[in-house]
Each structure stands twice: as structure tokens, then as C-alpha cells.
Amino acid sequence: MTGLWIAVAVLAAATVFGLLRRRRDGVLRAQRGSGDAVADTLGPDELGAELGEKATLLQFSSAFCAPCRATRRVLGEVAEMVDGVAHVELDAESHLDLVRRLNVIRTPTVLVLDGAGRVVRRAAGAPRKPEVIAALGEAIP
């Protein structure tokens, strides 16, 4: 009988974890202040690409990441829709210094940068198009 209760408890915990992860996955959250404005500002030299005039959608991806392909499509479409917005995709393995500095834990991770390269919002997981557009509203004055 004890084994049954353990199995039920494990299933309940896994269900709760899955529901919480599904709810948080891809949500663009405001960047928490780290106290170091320089650490949260990125330039073209670090990214290997020019920043957008108004904002930049920065995506960290990996080679075998299926959600990364969908994220690439969504961010590319949004960047084409909004003037002055660039989409930059970086391979996480090739940019380990930035991954560590920005605390990128999984792919895809999306950072929304304002025109000056400051991180305004971030999401772990594939964000939805309306959320990306809304996040750009905060990044673009």
C-alpha cells in the first residue's frame, strides 16, 4: 500500500510541475534589475551583428532545439512587421561567455533589447507573437 501512495505523490508532483512550466514557458517578463546596468547592455561587438534602430530581438538557440525553429519564425515575422527592429539569433554553444553573463539556462531564450542595447524583457521558451509585439511596445519609446 505504501508503494501506491508514493506513486500517487510522484504523479501529483509531476503534474503540478508540468502545469507550472507550461504556464511560464515563453512568457516575456520584465528584466529584474541586477544593479549593474553595464552587465545588462549589449553592443554590436558582443552580438556580431548590428542592433536595430529602435529595438532588437535577441534569440539564443541550439542545434537540436525544435522550439528554436518556431521562435526564429515568429521573431523574424515581427522584425519584418515593425520598422527599426532587428532579429539576431546566436548559437548558445558558440557564445558561452554571453550565455553565462546573461544567465541563459535553456534554449530558446529571447531577450528584447531597446535601441541602446539594454535588456528590457526576457523569455525562456518560445514566446507567442502577440506577447513579442507587446514587449516591443515597452522597448520602443
Side-chain angles (χ1 to χ4, degrees):
M1 189 65 150
T2 303
L4 177 64
W5 286 114
I6 292 173
V8 168
V10 168
L11 287 173
T15 301
V16 169
F17 175 77
L19 291 173
L20 287 174
R21 175 129 182 204
R22 176 190 261 178
R23 186 166 187 233
R24 295 179 55 113
D25 193 42
V27 176
L28 284 156
R29 300 185 188 290
Q31 179 68 13
R32 286 183 235 149
S34 65
D36 186 4
V38 176
D40 294 337
T41 302
L42 302 169
D45 295 338
E46 295 167 298
L47 301 180
E50 289 298 316
L51 295 173
E53 181 182 320
K54 296 179 182 176
T56 303
L57 301 171
L58 175 60
Q59 174 184 349
F60 285 93
S61 299
S62 56
F64 298 103
C65 168
C68 293
R69 290 187 285 276
T71 300
R72 178 183 311 120
R73 183 181 45 79
V74 168
L75 297 181
E77 289 173 3
V78 171
E80 288 177 8
M81 282 178 21
V82 183
D83 290 334
V85 174
H87 171 227
V88 176
E89 183 175 6
L90 298 178
D91 179 41
E93 284 184 66
S94 301
H95 296 83
L96 290 177
D97 55 333
L98 275 178
V99 167
R100 288 182 188 111
R101 178 176 147 201
L102 297 170
N103 197 26
V104 173
I105 297 172
R106 60 180 247 193
T107 57
T109 292
V110 176
L111 304 176
V112 178
L113 312 176
D114 65 10
R118 287 185 301 269
V119 179
V120 177
R121 294 213 173 247
R122 73 181 291 146
R128 291 167 272 301
K129 195 174 194 176
E131 290 181 5
V132 175
I133 294 169
L136 282 176
E138 181 181 328
I140 299 173

